[in-house]
Structure formats: structure tokens, C-alpha cells
Amino acid sequence: MTARAGLALSLTGAFLSGLLLSLPTHACCPAPPSGKPVVNADQTVIMIWDAATKTQHFIRKASFKSDADDFGFLVPSPGQPELDESGNDAFGFLLTRTEPERTTMPRPSGGIGCGCAAGPGRNLADAPGLSVRVLEEKLVAGFQAVVLETDSTTTLVTWLKSNGYAFSPEVEAWAKPYVEGGWKITALKVAKGEGGQETRAVGASALRMTFKTDRPLFPYREPDSAGPARELGAVSRLLRIYFLAEARYKGELTQDVAWTGRVAWAGRLTPDDRRKALELLKLPATTGPAEWWLTEFEDNWPYKAAPSDVYFSRDSDQNAVKRPPIVEYTSSSRPSDVMGFALAAAIFLPPLLRRVRRARKS
């Protein structure tokens, strides 16, 4: 490989790294409204884990792809969540804290990186005669939210159908372990923004869910969505999790199936960074542990059914992790190859030509 080709590949890698960092990313079991497909797209999540109180704060900024103008989705949680709006600016703030360092060096002289989607329907209210209990109903962060509790997937499905949510056997299978475990189900509705009908993209405002849990988790399970994803042209998606706790953490699916997420960055945040992040998230200064360690995970989340949710635990490896630096080349103070050749030609070519002429005359 030539020096020019190697440098071109380096610059391409740096560009692609910057592009991935600019992408925006709870779990879904899509159930298309009126036969219209919907899938999770990129997801970015901030998770704050307080091990002392076993409290998880889950702040999600998500995007979807769908042919429907509006739809709902379901989010499971081990306990009844507190729902509130969260600031979007915290995502950009944490992004700046984990981005690669940029270094400069002279340019070388020889050459040149969710829940169940469903259709709109009647008002989300408790349907009469069903053993589905509405624990809370509110408008929050642009969503119409209803927190549900039930002992039966059959009654849950009946409630969903009565309130305009599409049903499929996959939805019931997705809900079964959560219902049997006594989890709460939060039903949310979201609508496309301006221009979304042309792009199939649906954005959602950042929503905070706070709940009690023995282990911090990301609800990762969803039915196999490879078919709807292909129909919508969704080839890949990136899940990014900013995990804030008292130490570096790791994520895992099951003992037999490894999670595809990797640690992209890990390190301690300063007290000023902690204070700023909580301010942007609209949370009290006493939220979470007194000292923060940030672990950033990146996962090329496949469009297929997962065997479990992702659970997090303290990592035995407490070393810091940084992204490789991005090298920006500057102009060298030495003349370039072209200038060097031109200068050499100006010095040596005239005498050489004179010698050639004299030789021809003689």
C-alpha cells in the first residue's frame, strides 16, 4: 500500500468515526398499525444507576422508521415508573466528554474514519370489564402515556385491541415474561414530525423513566423484525448507552449468548461534569452516587429476536478506556515533493541544457 493510499484510508476512518459519533440511539416488539411496518432505528440512552437505593433512571432518545403517520409503543419496567420530561442537551454534553482526542502533526512530505409499536386508536383509558389496571395516565414529553398493570397477557392483549393497538401472537409472546414477572407496562403514543411522511423517520422527545430494580437493565427483547426492517430500508442501527454509576460496568445477555455491545469509552467524570449533566437532565443534585464513572457502550443492534434483556453489573476490569485519537495533519514547513522537484529543476536544468547545446554544436 502506498503512503498516499494509507493516509487516505486513515482520513476515511476518521470521517466515519465522526459520523458514527453524531448519530442519535427501551426495547420494542413492533406490531404494525393497519399492516404498516414500524421498527426501532438508532437509539441513544442515558442510564443512571444508584446501587445504594437500587434506583434506575432511564432517559431515552429514540428514532423509529414507519409508514404510519402515528403509532404507539410499549415499554416494560420492573416497578411502576415515575415519568417526566428530560433535557435533550445532556446527550450532546456526554458526547463531548467521550469523543476522541484530536492531535495535530505535520503532513508527511511523501503522501496524503422500545416496546410494542401499534396503531392510533381510541383514548388510552381502562376498558370496562378487563383486569388491566391503569396506574397512571399523563401527558409527558410530547407523549400520551399510560402505565398498566395486569396478571394476564390475554387481558393485556384485549385491552390493547380495545384501545387501538394492533395485536399479533408475537406481541403476546413478547409480553408474557414481563406480565408473569409482575412488571409494569407503559403505553406511549408518538406522532411523526414535519417531513416524517416522506422520510419514514419518527423522532421522539427525551423521556425519563425512574423505577426500582434489583439489577440495572436495558429492555432489549423484541420480536424478529428483520422482515419489517427490510421493507422500510432499515439496514442497520446503532444503540448507544451512557451508563453512569459508581464504577465501570459491563452488560450481558445470557450465559450462552453474549451481548454484541462493546465498551467504547470508560472513565471517571469530574464533579463539575456530574453537576452539569444533572442540571441538563433536570434532576436534583443528589441523584445517583456522589462520584460518577461513565461507561459508554456501542452496539450494532441486530434486527432479530433477543433471548433476554441486557443486564448490567460491576466490571472486574476498572481500567479507563479511550477512543483512538483523530490525527489532523497540518502543512509542513518543508517544501512539498512538487515544489522540491520544481526547485531542483530550476537549479540544475539550465546548466544541463547548455551542455547539451554545446555538445551538439561541436
Side-chain angles (χ1 to χ4, degrees):
M1 180 183 293
T2 66
R4 291 179 185 271
L7 184 54
L9 289 176
S10 299
L11 291 176
T12 302
F15 169 77
L16 292 176
S17 298
L19 178 61
L20 287 176
L21 288 173
S22 68
L23 288 174
T25 142
H26 246 188
C28 282
C29 59
S34 303
K36 295 184 178 180
V38 54
V39 295
N40 273 322
D42 296 316
Q43 307 264 334
T44 302
V45 171
I46 297 173
M47 295 171 58
I48 304 175
W49 170 240
D50 190 339
T53 63
K54 294 189 179 300
T55 302
Q56 177 174 333
H57 303 274
F58 187 96
I59 302 97
R60 168 188 182 241
K61 184 173 70 171
S63 60
F64 305 87
K65 285 184 178 294
S66 177
D67 282 334
D69 292 336
D70 58 86
F71 56 87
F73 58 100
L74 307 181
V75 182
S77 59
Q80 181 174 349
E82 171 193 318
L83 306 176
D84 210 342
E85 184 175 354
S86 187
N88 286 324
D89 293 339
F91 293 90
F93 174 73
L94 293 177
L95 178 66
T96 64
R97 291 301 177 268
T98 67
E99 64 184 359
E101 294 182 357
R102 294 180 180 272
T103 61
T104 59
M105 61 182 299
R107 187 183 302 279
S109 60
I112 300 187
C114 174
C116 297
R122 305 200 306 261
N123 289 335
L124 293 178
D126 199 2
L130 300 179
S131 58
V132 173
R133 296 166 290 283
V134 175
L135 303 179
E136 183 181 20
E137 184 173 3
K138 67 186 298 186
L139 293 174
V140 56
F143 293 98
Q144 186 174 2
V146 181
V147 181
L148 306 173
E149 180 182 59
T150 184
D151 303 319
S152 165
T153 54
T154 302
T155 54
L156 174 63
V157 165
T158 303
W159 187 93
L160 294 174
K161 293 168 68 175
S162 299
N163 287 276
Y165 283 79
F167 163 77
S168 70
E170 290 78 14
V171 172
E172 185 172 10
W174 169 85
K176 184 176 181 180
Y178 298 120
V179 172
E180 292 179 346
W183 288 39
K184 316 307 176 193
I185 305 293
T186 301
L188 298 157
K189 280 190 174 181
V190 63
K192 284 186 179 180
E194 185 177 352
Q197 288 75 11
E198 288 74 24
T199 64
R200 290 178 166 177
V202 183
S205 301
L207 173 69
R208 175 173 60 82
M209 302 180 67
T210 299
F211 50 86
K212 296 287 187 178
T213 178
D214 290 333
R215 294 185 295 166
L217 72 144
F218 178 88
Y220 197 73
R221 293 178 59 251
E222 61 179 11
D224 193 337
S225 52
R230 285 194 300 269
E231 186 176 344
L232 291 166
V235 178
S236 62
R237 56 179 170 174
L238 178 69
L239 169 63
R240 188 187 308 281
I241 299 176
Y242 294 109
F243 192 95
L244 296 158
E246 82 288 352
R248 175 177 164 179
Y249 272 61
K250 63 180 179 180
E252 51 191 4
L253 276 176
T254 69
Q255 292 183 346
D256 300 325
V257 181
W259 183 38
T260 53
R262 66 176 187 87
V263 176
W265 193 96
R268 293 188 182 277
L269 293 185
T270 66
D272 285 343
D273 286 343
R274 178 184 180 277
R275 177 180 48 79
K276 182 64 175 178
L278 287 174
E279 177 185 321
L280 294 174
L281 290 169
K282 304 178 183 179
L283 285 168
T286 55
T287 301
E291 296 183 355
W292 277 7
W293 185 292
L294 169 60
T295 311
E296 181 186 350
F297 300 93
E298 288 183 341
D299 177 32
N300 294 318
W301 194 2
Y303 283 110
K304 65 179 183 179
S308 170
D309 296 320
V310 178
Y311 285 90
F312 297 87
S313 60
R314 184 168 176 147
D315 200 335
S316 59
D317 184 356
Q318 290 295 306
N319 291 317
V321 177
K322 307 294 181 184
R323 286 186 167 87
I326 295 177
V327 178
E328 297 177 341
Y329 291 99
T330 60
S331 298
S332 173
S333 58
R334 294 175 298 176
S336 65
D337 291 345
V338 175
M339 292 298 296
F341 285 128
L343 182 61
I347 295 174
F348 297 108
L349 190 56
L352 180 60
L353 291 175
R354 286 196 292 270
R355 290 180 183 178
V356 171
R357 292 192 187 101
R358 285 199 296 269
R360 286 179 177 176
K361 290 180 180 179
S362 62

